[in-house]
Amino acid sequence: MANMTVNLKVWRQAGPKEKGEFRTYTVETDTDTSFLETLDILNEQLVNNHEEPIAFDHDCREGICGMCSLYINGHPHGPATGATTCQLYMRRFKDGETITVEPWRSAAFPVIKDLMVNRNAFDQIQQAGGYVSFNCGGAQDANNLPISKVNADMAMDSATCIGCGACVAACKNGSAMLFVSAKVSQFALLPQGQVERKRRARAMVMKMDELGFGNCTNTGACEAECPKCIKISNIARLNREFIKAKCAE
């Protein structure tokens, strides 16, 4: 462990309709401290100086919930690959470095305050996807539902999406295609998701468009910045699912 001092250039915005600006703060921390803990240290300094603390989202701090959505030095969740902001440690930065911290930048994710954004749009997309039908009663024997390992693995990989919004923040178009495709794929690849398969794909894509997300132009930035390494092959699957659903109308 080594002590270090960093300059945090943080976006401050009092409310959704207020004008925001960057403010720079100097913080003493160490290499074994997480980035969110460093923000906690800064907020303690601000409170002690009778200043307004910085608002930012966080919950589990274990890389599971997707709440800690910060744009750090031009990267969603910061420079660490395959990790969320809460899994980012100060050893990734240099002593004396100036670190720029912003909220997600997307029209579909309006700023609530400072570094917090409203990601209710993702909830609405998932709600549009609806439910999964299944037969109640005694559990079937596992061998009665044969699923290839390839499909099972792809469905599980898709289901690891935590809905943090890094894909939207990374995309120059503000597209949510990686998120939507992961949610559609995790059901489309399994027998349990077949009943509502066509309706789900159609409804989720239409809701995504309605909420103002941009179009996908296959730059691959979403996959590169995704903390769960969701593959853009899911987007191709979503396009196929949507076309088949529209043709069946």
Side-chain angles (χ1 to χ4, degrees):
M1 181 182 75
N3 294 329
M4 62 187 299
T5 301
V6 293
N7 300 308
L8 295 181
K9 186 179 178 182
V10 182
W11 181 260
R12 303 302 307 265
Q13 186 172 337
K17 297 182 180 180
E18 304 294 326
K19 185 178 180 181
E21 64 178 2
F22 282 107
R23 297 181 192 171
T24 302
Y25 306 92
T26 300
V27 187
E28 293 184 0
T29 182
D30 61 69
T31 53
D32 288 344
T33 298
S34 74
F35 192 84
L36 292 188
E37 288 171 337
T38 299
L39 286 179
D40 291 336
I41 294 170
L42 172 56
N43 274 345
E44 187 174 351
Q45 291 178 197
L46 294 174
V47 170
N48 290 337
N49 292 331
H50 306 288
E51 298 180 50
E52 184 76 16
I54 299 165
F56 63 96
D57 270 327
H58 62 94
D59 192 359
C60 73
R61 299 202 177 197
E62 294 179 346
I64 299 170
C65 70
M67 292 297 292
C68 55
S69 303
L70 302 179
Y71 208 82
I72 304 169
N73 280 355
H75 293 276
H77 293 298
T81 302
T84 56
T85 302
C86 61
Q87 297 172 304
L88 178 65
Y89 283 81
M90 298 308 294
R91 66 178 71 97
R92 288 274 182 175
F93 304 99
K94 298 178 181 178
D95 185 27
E97 183 176 349
T98 296
I99 305 169
T100 303
V101 190
E102 305 172 68
W104 283 172
R105 302 292 190 183
S106 171
F109 293 157
V111 173
I112 299 173
K113 183 178 180 181
D114 295 336
L115 303 176
M116 294 179 66
V117 298
N118 184 350
R119 287 174 293 172
N120 179 255
F122 270 11
D123 295 331
Q124 293 183 54
I125 292 173
Q126 292 194 86
Q127 288 167 4
Y131 51 83
V132 176
S133 295
F134 61 93
N135 294 323
C136 298
Q140 298 185 58
D141 185 271
N143 291 329
N144 289 337
L145 293 172
I147 304 171
S148 72
K149 187 175 189 312
V150 173
N151 283 352
D153 287 346
M154 287 193 295
M156 180 60 73
D157 289 344
S158 300
T160 60
C161 170
I162 56 178
C164 65
C167 51
V168 177
C171 179
K172 64 179 183 179
N173 305 317
S175 173
M177 285 289 282
L178 191 67
F179 165 76
V180 176
S181 66
K183 297 305 176 186
V184 167
S185 292
Q186 72 183 67
F187 294 117
L189 289 163
L190 299 177
Q192 295 87 343
Q194 299 309 303
V195 179
E196 293 84 21
R197 182 174 181 172
K198 294 176 181 177
R199 186 204 59 78
R200 182 183 301 113
R202 183 172 59 250
M204 293 182 76
V205 170
M206 290 176 67
K207 178 58 72 171
M208 174 184 68
D209 292 341
E210 176 191 322
L211 293 171
F213 290 99
N215 295 319
C216 175
T217 51
N218 295 314
T219 60
C222 53
E223 180 183 299
E225 299 288 2
C226 177
K228 297 302 176 180
C229 303
I230 303 296
K231 302 299 182 184
I232 58 174
S233 57
N234 286 302
I235 296 178
R237 182 177 299 106
L238 173 60
N239 288 331
R240 292 194 297 270
E241 292 292 322
F242 182 71
I243 291 171
K244 286 188 288 186
K246 293 295 287 184
C247 290
E249 287 183 345

